[in-house]
Amino acid sequence: MKLIPFAILSTLVIGVMLLTASHFSAYALEFAHKTMWGEKGVAQGQFNQVSGIGVDSEDNVYVSDFAGYTTKMIQKFTPNGTFILGFGTFGNGPQYFTNPAGIAINSNNSVYIADFGNPTYAIKEFTPNGTFIRSIGSFGLGPGLFISPGGVGVDKENNLYATDFGENNNVQKFDPNGYYMMSFGSPGIGNGQFNNPADVAVDSNNNIFVTDSSNNRVQKFDQDGNYLMKFGTFGSGNGQFKAPIDLAIDPANNVYVSDSDNNRIQVFDNNGTYITQFGNTGASHERVEDPVGIALDSQGDVYVADGKDTDIHVFSPIP
């Protein structure tokens, strides 16, 4: 084996450190308000009550709306907010919505939307063009059943995860074809229990993060649903929450949490250590009033659905 001279080795180590720092700087510790779009209304590009947001691999943005543009309750936009199309109408059948909420998009750009007002057809799957594929789940207590589905997430194998903030108070997992695989969690305040789990996201190591909204914390589980840790307590300080709702995870596995009643987004590392917050400073029009949805694009921009102002805020990382 040929030995590497110490000087060269030192240079390589420093280079790796710089590359690592550069990688993490793409998912920066500070964010600046970039733009905002959307307004109150029921016309194309307007919102009545935004409830969820997702970004696909081409950085197109999908927004769910309780009573949206001419009853098209899901709208699709370019990254700068230009309207592309609307889909999903009000009703009680498999392809219809009552109260569309969380959005998740898998690597094939299939769009999953939780409908907590229609648990008989709990999760809807659509193509990127708004063509209905299937509904997943049905009403009830037990495996594969929902009372109030609220949040959805996908892992790198395109398995689907969904939270039930109704009586089940759990997270359920389905394969890419919609077949039930497992569930974890139960009602309560103990480790691994939930009180209104609002959203779920999965990191690159298949660790599962869940916003335990009424317990004002985030819980972390392994890929089999075994409890690992929790972070957050009730309050307004750094790392505290008042009704955390949505989750997003960047390629560095940092965790972004929409802290709705504190009107901010908080960012944590993968072990729950507080990093930063944004959305609650700057000019009044740059502040979020009720962040109900959050999603990241390929550039590290953060899209926030504001439930009070019924618009979309975009924040960019500061290198």
Side-chain angles (χ1 to χ4, degrees):
M1 180 177 69
K2 185 177 179 180
L3 297 177
I4 301 175
F6 177 78
I8 296 177
L9 180 62
S10 298
T11 302
L12 289 173
V13 171
I14 292 171
V16 170
M17 293 173 63
L18 290 174
L19 284 171
T20 302
S22 175
H23 170 74
F24 277 90
S25 69
Y27 303 94
L29 303 185
E30 300 296 335
F31 293 83
H33 192 273
K34 180 179 181 180
T35 187
M36 57 186 295
W37 39 270
E39 60 183 0
K40 185 77 171 181
V42 294
Q44 176 179 301
Q46 296 180 328
F47 307 110
N48 183 64
Q49 180 61 63
V50 295
S51 48
I53 192 166
V55 177
D56 67 19
S57 65
E58 298 176 355
D59 288 344
N60 297 307
V61 183
Y62 300 74
V63 181
S64 56
D65 188 349
F66 281 0
Y69 136 71
T70 61
T71 72
K72 301 296 186 184
M73 304 180 83
I74 310 299
Q75 296 189 64
K76 179 180 179 180
F77 301 87
T78 65
N80 63 6
T82 300
F83 176 84
I84 298 175
L85 58 88
F87 62 91
T89 56
F90 181 83
N92 290 316
Q95 71 270 40
Y96 300 107
F97 290 103
T98 303
N99 291 308
I103 298 177
I105 302 168
N106 71 14
S107 63
N108 299 320
N109 285 333
S110 291
V111 183
Y112 297 95
I113 302 121
D115 187 358
F116 73 79
N118 193 359
T120 300
Y121 307 102
I123 312 299
K124 315 294 197 303
E125 181 182 358
F126 292 83
T127 69
N129 294 323
T131 301
F132 174 75
I133 299 174
R134 63 172 64 92
S135 64
I136 301 167
S138 57
F139 179 79
L141 297 171
L145 305 177
F146 294 91
I147 299 298
S148 296
V152 284
V154 292
D155 63 22
K156 58 188 178 183
E157 283 84 31
N158 287 335
N159 297 308
L160 171 69
Y161 301 76
T163 65
D164 188 348
F165 64 87
E167 294 174 60
N168 284 309
N169 272 293
N170 64 7
V171 176
Q172 303 197 48
K173 180 180 179 180
F174 301 83
D175 73 11
N177 295 313
Y179 293 107
Y180 172 83
M181 297 177 69
M182 71 169 192
S183 61
F184 58 93
S186 61
I189 62 174
N191 294 341
Q193 295 184 314
F194 300 115
N195 186 4
N196 294 326
D199 194 30
V200 56
V202 186
D203 69 16
S204 64
N205 297 314
N206 282 333
N207 295 308
I208 305 163
F209 292 81
V210 183
T211 44
D212 189 7
S213 186
S214 294
N215 283 327
N216 295 291
R217 63 187 181 183
V218 175
Q219 297 195 67
K220 180 180 179 181
F221 302 82
D222 69 16
Q223 61 185 355
D224 298 315
N226 297 310
Y227 171 83
L228 296 176
M229 62 164 291
K230 63 187 176 185
F231 57 94
T233 57
F234 178 78
S236 299
N238 295 346
Q240 295 183 315
F241 299 114
K242 289 184 178 179
I245 295 182
D246 217 22
L247 282 169
I249 298 177
D250 68 25
N253 283 333
N254 296 314
V255 182
Y256 298 63
V257 183
S258 62
D259 187 8
S260 63
D261 285 355
N262 279 322
N263 305 316
R264 64 186 179 182
I265 306 301
Q266 295 197 73
V267 186
F268 302 82
D269 71 14
N270 200 256
N271 295 313
T273 300
Y274 170 84
I275 296 175
T276 191
Q277 61 183 283
F278 59 93
N280 55 346
T281 59
S284 59
H285 70 277
E286 297 177 344
R287 299 179 186 179
V288 294
E289 297 294 330
D290 179 20
V292 293
I294 181 172
L296 277 69
D297 70 11
S298 64
Q299 305 303 309
D301 286 347
V302 183
Y303 295 77
V304 181
D306 190 327
K308 182 177 181 180
D309 291 336
T310 62
D311 53 18
I312 307 301
H313 292 261
V314 186
F315 297 86
S316 291
I318 301 173

